[in-house]
Amino acid sequence: MQRKGIILAGGSGTRLYPVTIAVSKQLLPIYDKPMIYYPISVLMLAGIKEIAIITTPHDQEQFQRLLGDGSQFGVTFDYIVQASPDGLAQAYLLAEKFLDGAPSAMVLGDNIFFGNGLAQMLANASAKSDQGTVYGYWVANPERYGVVDFDEAGKAKSIIEKPEKPASNYALTGLYFLPGDAPERAAKVQASPRGELEITTLLEMYLHDGLLQVDLMGRGYAWLDTGTHSSLLEASEFVRTLEDRQAVQIGCLEEIGYNNGWISSEALLEAAEKMGKSNYGNYINQIAQSARTRR
């Protein structure tokens, strides 16, 4: 069964007020693209074509206007409403009908990933349909995250949500590859003292049963969590610097769709025309023209 994708783009974004009073956090710009382009690109790089986007009721129309049905990228989007944000594990309950027993990859809508070899790393995780894979990333302030504790052999033995005394500096990123029983297991998660269905509780279930692998994103990989005003600015500067120096686009969905063989060069030209004279549109046009000369 083909793996399906979930993007959790709900929540009220109160840490970004007043910016997010009238617009979803995941629709804010990260340099030259809406934030949600970046997590979508992660799922597409993993070879995932069926993607559910979980939004608040009042933001859903904006996402649909931006992204449509996904056909312009070679994917399909389903839109699911999250009436109230009750924890990350809730996403699997909301997406149960969409998943229909398929393994999944969920990425948080405000997370950005970049690195040489990222596509291969994602493909490796996606190929393991009978076990889960999550990623640890070294951070200076682990108490803000779900933290992985390792045994002497370097194998993950526990995951603790926002610990007062972190057992390591490795935080879990917002990217989760899980088997097809994730909704069934999520239904057994009890609300934490914070009143949320914690993703760490769900992951602990898999870890206890020997069905969860924690891979480390080492040097050369970037994981950006854009939940604060300063991190929004830092992420934009990161993307701007790379794009200006390397003359490539990060998170260009049409390019990924074309490279995956999901859309044609003609579709690239249509997208370029729609984007007008923007740098994004010019970049897509260059790819389309190059594709034509190679025929």
Side-chain angles (χ1 to χ4, degrees), residues 22 75 110 129 148 160 163 181 189 196 220 225 282:
V75 302
D110 61 357
S129 60
V148 185
I160 308 299
D181 65 344
V189 174
E196 296 192 0
D225 177 3
N282 291 335

Side-chain angles (χ1 to χ4, degrees), residues 211-223:
L211 296 173
L212 185 70
Q213 179 173 326
V214 180
D215 290 341
L216 301 183
M217 288 186 177
R219 297 179 66 174
Y221 287 98
W223 168 51

Side-chain angles (χ1 to χ4, degrees), residues 229-250:
H229 296 100
S230 60
S231 60
L232 278 174
L233 181 60
E234 290 169 359
S236 290
E237 281 297 309
F238 176 82
V239 173
R240 182 192 66 82
T241 300
L242 283 173
E243 291 188 352
D244 285 356
R245 291 187 178 183
Q246 299 184 2
V248 296
Q249 283 277 336
I250 299 174

Side-chain angles (χ1 to χ4, degrees), residues 126-273:
S126 189
K128 302 171 184 175
S129 60
D130 57 346
Q131 74 167 45
T133 301
V134 293
Y135 299 95
Y137 192 91
W138 199 99
V139 296
N141 49 353
E143 64 277 358
R144 292 176 46 197
Y145 304 94
V147 174
V148 185
D149 186 13
F150 300 93
D151 62 21
E152 294 180 355
K155 185 177 181 180
K157 63 179 183 179
S158 67
I159 302 170
I160 308 299
E161 181 68 25
K162 296 180 174 63
E164 292 184 6
K165 296 181 179 180
S168 78
N169 282 83
Y170 282 97
L172 281 185
T173 71
L175 177 59
Y176 318 93
F177 287 83
L178 293 181
D181 65 344
E184 178 183 346
R185 287 181 181 255
K188 300 176 183 178
V189 174
Q190 300 294 316
S192 68
R194 299 195 305 160
E196 296 192 0
L197 303 178
E198 305 286 1
I199 188 71
T200 47
T201 305
L202 176 60
L203 298 178
E204 278 271 308
M205 293 181 183
Y206 284 103
L207 190 61
H208 180 269
D209 292 342
L211 296 173
L212 185 70
Q213 179 173 326
V214 180
D215 290 341
L216 301 183
M217 288 186 177
R219 297 179 66 174
Y221 287 98
W223 168 51
L224 306 175
D225 177 3
T226 56
T228 66
H229 296 100
S230 60
S231 60
L232 278 174
L233 181 60
E234 290 169 359
S236 290
E237 281 297 309
F238 176 82
V239 173
R240 182 192 66 82
T241 300
L242 283 173
E243 291 188 352
D244 285 356
R245 291 187 178 183
Q246 299 184 2
V248 296
Q249 283 277 336
I250 299 174
C252 180
L253 305 184
E254 291 87 353
E255 178 183 24
I256 298 171
Y258 175 75
N259 289 339
N260 286 351
W262 298 344
I263 62 173
S264 65
S265 58
E266 287 74 18
L268 286 177
L269 288 172
E270 291 178 12
E273 184 176 352

Side-chain angles (χ1 to χ4, degrees), residues 6 8 54 80 82 87-96 99 106:
I6 305 170
L8 187 53
I54 300 177
I80 299 173
Q82 183 186 42
L88 302 186
Q90 183 191 30
Y92 296 98
L93 304 179
L94 297 172
E96 183 174 13
L99 293 175
M106 183 172 77

Side-chain angles (χ1 to χ4, degrees), residues 14 27 40 59 144:
T14 54
L27 293 174
I40 292 174
D59 289 325
R144 292 176 46 197

